[in-house]
Amino acid sequence: MNKIHKKIWTLTTVILLIMAAIWITLTYYNQKTQNQYNDILQRYLRMNEVTRTSQQMIADLNNYFITPIPENLDKLNTSKEKMIKVRSEVSYLRNSENDFALTNYMNLIDSLVETTDRSLLFFKEKETEDSAKEFSEATRISMYISEMTLTLVDSELNTYERFYRGIIEQSEEIKKLGIWLMLMITCLLMFLTYGFSLSITKPVQKLTKAANDLSRGRFHLPIKVDSNDEIAFLAQTFDRMRVNINNLISEIQHKAQLEHELQESKLLLKESQLLNLQSQINPHFLFNTLNTLSKKAYLEGSLETSDLLVSVAGLLRYNLKRLDRPVTLGEEVMVLQQYMDIQKARFTDRLHLKMSIDETCLNVDIPGLTLQPIIENAVNYAVEPREDGGKIWFRIQDGNDCVIIEVEDDGPGIEELKIKQILQGQFIQKDGNSTGIGFTNVVRRLRLFYGSDDVMSIESSAAGTKVVMKIPKDRRGAA
Amino acid sequence: MRKTGILIFCLTCIVLGYFTFTLYKKAFTSERDLPAASDGQEVKYRLVLITQELETPFWDKAGIAAREQARKNGASLEVWGSYGKNQEEFLKKLEIAIQSKVDGIIVQGLDTKEFKDLAKIKAAFYGIPIITVANDVPKSESLRKTYVGSDQYLAGQLIAEQLLDDMGHEGKVILMGDKHKEYYQQQRLDGIHEVLKDYPNIQTVYAETTDVREEIIAATQNMLNQNPDTDSFVAIKANIAGAMIHEIGRRSLVEPYYIYSFDDGPDSISLLTQGKLDGIIEQSPEKMGSLSAELILKWLKDEEVPLKSDGYLTDIRILKALEKK
């Protein structure tokens, strides 16, 4: 991962390198020019030194002649040595242009030294006249040397003129180059810095926007930052946080829904209890009355009536008791049979009930009073209105992980719209001859009980209606 | 927007880069080499040609020829000298040459004591050979190795013969020469006299002057006053001719006079082309230059020792105004 730290370092290093390169180049160039200047100056200084030394030598010689003491002789010798030294230095000034003149120059210096020596010799041998002659010659030579120095300097200027002008031009060019270079580097650095700052601020901006979105509650927008530094890492972490929050929220929503459903189921239960209570005043009274009637009928020898009355009483009791807790399918089936006994007594031959029950399935839990309203419904619609009666099939089958309960009749069928309403759990207007706890109530209770929508299906045609309930063997969800 | 920005930036960068690069190339690759240090090989002989009349056509030719000859032989030769017969400067140059210990000196002879002292004593002291060129100084007086130049005596004769041709065998001739009668002038004069002495009807008048223009004019005036019947002028020394003709021209027409001179003056050729001079002696400066350089080198290399002390004579011929025209 490319750290911001590293980025800053790289930028700084690049700038530093550019600066260093320029600095080195310019310094190198300056040094070179400086050296050239030094060389040139050295040339002139050397030539000038020749003139000065030669004059000094003549002056020393003269001094010695005026006051011939050893100190002056020493001085003379010193300047003579210096003259010889300077002569050897002058030889470095030789180039193709001044070859001839320089040789002459050096020879002149030689002549000067020789003449001085001669003059000195004559002086020592007291030949004053000769000495004076040589001295005057030496003076002349010294003058010639001065002149020649000027000539040499002159030719030097001529020879090097182009070179000097070159140096001047070059320094002008360097000045211009400096400006251009500065402009270019400024431009380049601005671009680099722009790109660099963008590479930092852009992800930060994205991150800020994402944070804004989150703070406004938009949790579904993914946070994506295309950068290769810590910001990207930050964004990833942030995104993970967003996903987590999102999950938490949906979980809470789910829980709230469950709560809501529970509430609803409770309300429904209350409703059914209320409905039940409404018919409780009479049922208790009826229940006792029915028992009395049953005993009376038995005593009077009417066994069938007695049984019927017992069935009605049993049914009534069941209805009163088993409303708010789950029962087994077996119990439900028993109640159903009692109910059907009554109905058979009512409809006699008009009602044909065929039951096929898989006994292994009877231990399944089921909310109370779920089968009876459906059968009642079938009886009400398929048997009661028809003079020649109707058939009702009741089947309990094992469907692997669930128990399939089918209630089929050969009635005129139910309207499509009504089926839809029933399955969607909408309350529909009740007919007068229902027991009260309606079809819809059953559907909703089953759904709440098993926590699944797929508990009931209704197939209906003109030839009959078939209600299929799938009761899971393993009950799950809330009670 | 962003794309335009980048495009503009790139363009700027390219332009700046281009300028910077070209300037960089210009600034750092400009050739500014110092003149090559001496190529090492010491020139074997250093020669100097010294004249009193630098930058006159005559001496330019001689100098160029001598330099060319020296170059061919691997020696270096420089032309030094003074302007306008400045003797002091000339002698100084000669002394510098001697003190500079050049290998050989080719010099325009000057018939003065100072010159002879320098040539005889100083140059001999340093063992430097001297060859006189164009104007000679007798060997006995200067210890010169040889002379390269015209036969001045013959030149005088040629002038005289030409005068006879033009003027006829009678008339009055004014010969104008330097007060300081140099050796070569004497020779010229001798040559003229040698021819004219056979013609008694020709009267010669010798006039002396110096190099100073006013004096030349004065001398000319004087001559014209004293000899109004003169027919001809001969400037023994070429430098005199200019001022002399100028003065004659002020008095009367120049054309009727027969005026002759030599070609080693600064204005000789131009006077001839203007028709003011009727004839001049044309010498061979190129030959003098090259031959003198060649001879001194031969002497230095011991190829031709000794050199002819009489000198090596170069061609002369008379150049008439008509030819030039």
PDB file of all heavy atoms in Angstrom, chain A residues 246-260:
ATOM      1  N   ASN A 246     -26.299  -1.479   8.511  1.00  0.00           N
ATOM      2  CA  ASN A 246     -27.417  -1.867   7.648  1.00  0.00           C
ATOM      3  C   ASN A 246     -28.048  -3.167   8.147  1.00  0.00           C
ATOM      4  O   ASN A 246     -29.276  -3.274   8.280  1.00  0.00           O
ATOM      5  CB  ASN A 246     -26.881  -2.033   6.230  1.00  0.00           C
ATOM      6  CG  ASN A 246     -27.849  -1.474   5.214  1.00  0.00           C
ATOM      7  OD1 ASN A 246     -28.894  -0.930   5.593  1.00  0.00           O
ATOM      8  ND2 ASN A 246     -27.520  -1.608   3.957  1.00  0.00           N
ATOM      9  N   ASN A 247     -27.176  -4.147   8.419  1.00  0.00           N
ATOM     10  CA  ASN A 247     -27.666  -5.445   8.880  1.00  0.00           C
ATOM     11  C   ASN A 247     -28.430  -5.290  10.189  1.00  0.00           C
ATOM     12  O   ASN A 247     -29.513  -5.859  10.355  1.00  0.00           O
ATOM     13  CB  ASN A 247     -26.498  -6.412   9.092  1.00  0.00           C
ATOM     14  CG  ASN A 247     -25.949  -6.876   7.755  1.00  0.00           C
ATOM     15  OD1 ASN A 247     -26.612  -6.695   6.729  1.00  0.00           O
ATOM     16  ND2 ASN A 247     -24.762  -7.448   7.755  1.00  0.00           N
ATOM     17  N   LEU A 248     -27.818  -4.493  11.081  1.00  0.00           N
ATOM     18  CA  LEU A 248     -28.460  -4.297  12.390  1.00  0.00           C
ATOM     19  C   LEU A 248     -29.854  -3.704  12.218  1.00  0.00           C
ATOM     20  O   LEU A 248     -30.828  -4.160  12.841  1.00  0.00           O
ATOM     21  CB  LEU A 248     -27.608  -3.366  13.241  1.00  0.00           C
ATOM     22  CG  LEU A 248     -26.491  -4.053  14.005  1.00  0.00           C
ATOM     23  CD1 LEU A 248     -25.636  -3.031  14.726  1.00  0.00           C
ATOM     24  CD2 LEU A 248     -27.080  -5.043  15.010  1.00  0.00           C
ATOM     25  N   ILE A 249     -29.913  -2.738  11.355  1.00  0.00           N
ATOM     26  CA  ILE A 249     -31.206  -2.063  11.147  1.00  0.00           C
ATOM     27  C   ILE A 249     -32.249  -3.040  10.629  1.00  0.00           C
ATOM     28  O   ILE A 249     -33.386  -3.111  11.115  1.00  0.00           O
ATOM     29  CB  ILE A 249     -31.034  -0.882  10.183  1.00  0.00           C
ATOM     30  CG1 ILE A 249     -30.328   0.255  10.923  1.00  0.00           C
ATOM     31  CG2 ILE A 249     -32.382  -0.390   9.672  1.00  0.00           C
ATOM     32  CD1 ILE A 249     -29.968   1.412  10.048  1.00  0.00           C
ATOM     33  N   SER A 250     -31.816  -3.835   9.621  1.00  0.00           N
ATOM     34  CA  SER A 250     -32.802  -4.754   9.047  1.00  0.00           C
ATOM     35  C   SER A 250     -33.232  -5.798  10.095  1.00  0.00           C
ATOM     36  O   SER A 250     -34.395  -6.224  10.136  1.00  0.00           O
ATOM     37  CB  SER A 250     -32.258  -5.417   7.785  1.00  0.00           C
ATOM     38  OG  SER A 250     -31.122  -6.151   8.093  1.00  0.00           O
ATOM     39  N   GLU A 251     -32.274  -6.146  10.968  1.00  0.00           N
ATOM     40  CA  GLU A 251     -32.611  -7.104  12.014  1.00  0.00           C
ATOM     41  C   GLU A 251     -33.669  -6.508  12.959  1.00  0.00           C
ATOM     42  O   GLU A 251     -34.661  -7.160  13.309  1.00  0.00           O
ATOM     43  CB  GLU A 251     -31.342  -7.433  12.800  1.00  0.00           C
ATOM     44  CG  GLU A 251     -31.360  -8.829  13.410  1.00  0.00           C
ATOM     45  CD  GLU A 251     -29.970  -9.193  13.906  1.00  0.00           C
ATOM     46  OE1 GLU A 251     -29.068  -9.337  13.043  1.00  0.00           O
ATOM     47  OE2 GLU A 251     -29.792  -9.299  15.119  1.00  0.00           O
ATOM     48  N   ILE A 252     -33.393  -5.252  13.301  1.00  0.00           N
ATOM     49  CA  ILE A 252     -34.342  -4.579  14.195  1.00  0.00           C
ATOM     50  C   ILE A 252     -35.719  -4.500  13.548  1.00  0.00           C
ATOM     51  O   ILE A 252     -36.757  -4.778  14.174  1.00  0.00           O
ATOM     52  CB  ILE A 252     -33.825  -3.166  14.547  1.00  0.00           C
ATOM     53  CG1 ILE A 252     -32.651  -3.295  15.509  1.00  0.00           C
ATOM     54  CG2 ILE A 252     -34.917  -2.324  15.178  1.00  0.00           C
ATOM     55  CD1 ILE A 252     -31.889  -2.021  15.711  1.00  0.00           C
ATOM     56  N   GLN A 253     -35.696  -4.166  12.247  1.00  0.00           N
ATOM     57  CA  GLN A 253     -36.972  -4.073  11.531  1.00  0.00           C
ATOM     58  C   GLN A 253     -37.709  -5.405  11.565  1.00  0.00           C
ATOM     59  O   GLN A 253     -38.914  -5.498  11.772  1.00  0.00           O
ATOM     60  CB  GLN A 253     -36.730  -3.636  10.089  1.00  0.00           C
ATOM     61  CG  GLN A 253     -36.571  -2.132   9.953  1.00  0.00           C
ATOM     62  CD  GLN A 253     -36.191  -1.731   8.545  1.00  0.00           C
ATOM     63  OE1 GLN A 253     -35.741  -2.585   7.773  1.00  0.00           O
ATOM     64  NE2 GLN A 253     -36.368  -0.466   8.239  1.00  0.00           N
ATOM     65  N   HIS A 254     -36.916  -6.465  11.343  1.00  0.00           N
ATOM     66  CA  HIS A 254     -37.492  -7.810  11.345  1.00  0.00           C
ATOM     67  C   HIS A 254     -38.136  -8.107  12.695  1.00  0.00           C
ATOM     68  O   HIS A 254     -39.278  -8.590  12.771  1.00  0.00           O
ATOM     69  CB  HIS A 254     -36.370  -8.799  11.048  1.00  0.00           C
ATOM     70  CG  HIS A 254     -36.843 -10.210  10.876  1.00  0.00           C
ATOM     71  ND1 HIS A 254     -37.637 -10.608   9.808  1.00  0.00           N
ATOM     72  CD2 HIS A 254     -36.653 -11.305  11.642  1.00  0.00           C
ATOM     73  CE1 HIS A 254     -37.907 -11.878   9.931  1.00  0.00           C
ATOM     74  NE2 HIS A 254     -37.327 -12.347  11.031  1.00  0.00           N
ATOM     75  N   LYS A 255     -37.376  -7.761  13.730  1.00  0.00           N
ATOM     76  CA  LYS A 255     -37.884  -8.024  15.071  1.00  0.00           C
ATOM     77  C   LYS A 255     -39.165  -7.246  15.328  1.00  0.00           C
ATOM     78  O   LYS A 255     -40.135  -7.772  15.897  1.00  0.00           O
ATOM     79  CB  LYS A 255     -36.826  -7.617  16.108  1.00  0.00           C
ATOM     80  CG  LYS A 255     -35.906  -8.770  16.462  1.00  0.00           C
ATOM     81  CD  LYS A 255     -35.032  -8.449  17.641  1.00  0.00           C
ATOM     82  CE  LYS A 255     -34.064  -9.585  17.901  1.00  0.00           C
ATOM     83  NZ  LYS A 255     -32.877  -9.095  18.628  1.00  0.00           N
ATOM     84  N   ALA A 256     -39.132  -6.014  14.865  1.00  0.00           N
ATOM     85  CA  ALA A 256     -40.323  -5.182  15.059  1.00  0.00           C
ATOM     86  C   ALA A 256     -41.514  -5.793  14.368  1.00  0.00           C
ATOM     87  O   ALA A 256     -42.632  -5.808  14.903  1.00  0.00           O
ATOM     88  CB  ALA A 256     -40.051  -3.791  14.511  1.00  0.00           C
ATOM     89  N   GLN A 257     -41.274  -6.373  13.217  1.00  0.00           N
ATOM     90  CA  GLN A 257     -42.366  -6.988  12.472  1.00  0.00           C
ATOM     91  C   GLN A 257     -42.926  -8.187  13.232  1.00  0.00           C
ATOM     92  O   GLN A 257     -44.150  -8.378  13.328  1.00  0.00           O
ATOM     93  CB  GLN A 257     -41.841  -7.399  11.096  1.00  0.00           C
ATOM     94  CG  GLN A 257     -42.942  -7.553  10.080  1.00  0.00           C
ATOM     95  CD  GLN A 257     -42.417  -8.025   8.742  1.00  0.00           C
ATOM     96  OE1 GLN A 257     -41.219  -7.936   8.512  1.00  0.00           O
ATOM     97  NE2 GLN A 257     -43.298  -8.517   7.906  1.00  0.00           N
ATOM     98  N   LEU A 258     -41.943  -8.936  13.768  1.00  0.00           N
ATOM     99  CA  LEU A 258     -42.367 -10.117  14.530  1.00  0.00           C
ATOM    100  C   LEU A 258     -43.256  -9.695  15.701  1.00  0.00           C
ATOM    101  O   LEU A 258     -44.311 -10.281  15.964  1.00  0.00           O
ATOM    102  CB  LEU A 258     -41.162 -10.871  15.057  1.00  0.00           C
ATOM    103  CG  LEU A 258     -40.445 -11.753  14.038  1.00  0.00           C
ATOM    104  CD1 LEU A 258     -39.284 -12.460  14.692  1.00  0.00           C
ATOM    105  CD2 LEU A 258     -41.419 -12.775  13.449  1.00  0.00           C
ATOM    106  N   GLU A 259     -42.766  -8.630  16.358  1.00  0.00           N
ATOM    107  CA  GLU A 259     -43.512  -8.102  17.497  1.00  0.00           C
ATOM    108  C   GLU A 259     -44.927  -7.751  17.072  1.00  0.00           C
ATOM    109  O   GLU A 259     -45.920  -8.077  17.744  1.00  0.00           O
ATOM    110  CB  GLU A 259     -42.798  -6.848  18.003  1.00  0.00           C
ATOM    111  CG  GLU A 259     -43.070  -6.550  19.442  1.00  0.00           C
ATOM    112  CD  GLU A 259     -41.949  -7.038  20.318  1.00  0.00           C
ATOM    113  OE1 GLU A 259     -41.233  -8.006  19.927  1.00  0.00           O
ATOM    114  OE2 GLU A 259     -41.771  -6.474  21.380  1.00  0.00           O
ATOM    115  N   HIS A 260     -44.945  -7.106  15.922  1.00  0.00           N
ATOM    116  CA  HIS A 260     -46.228  -6.676  15.369  1.00  0.00           C
ATOM    117  C   HIS A 260     -47.146  -7.857  15.133  1.00  0.00           C
ATOM    118  O   HIS A 260     -48.327  -7.852  15.484  1.00  0.00           O
ATOM    119  CB  HIS A 260     -45.947  -5.919  14.073  1.00  0.00           C
ATOM    120  CG  HIS A 260     -47.168  -5.469  13.361  1.00  0.00           C
ATOM    121  ND1 HIS A 260     -47.985  -4.461  13.849  1.00  0.00           N
ATOM    122  CD2 HIS A 260     -47.752  -5.902  12.213  1.00  0.00           C
ATOM    123  CE1 HIS A 260     -48.986  -4.285  13.025  1.00  0.00           C
ATOM    124  NE2 HIS A 260     -48.884  -5.154  12.019  1.00  0.00           N
TER     125      HIS A 260
END
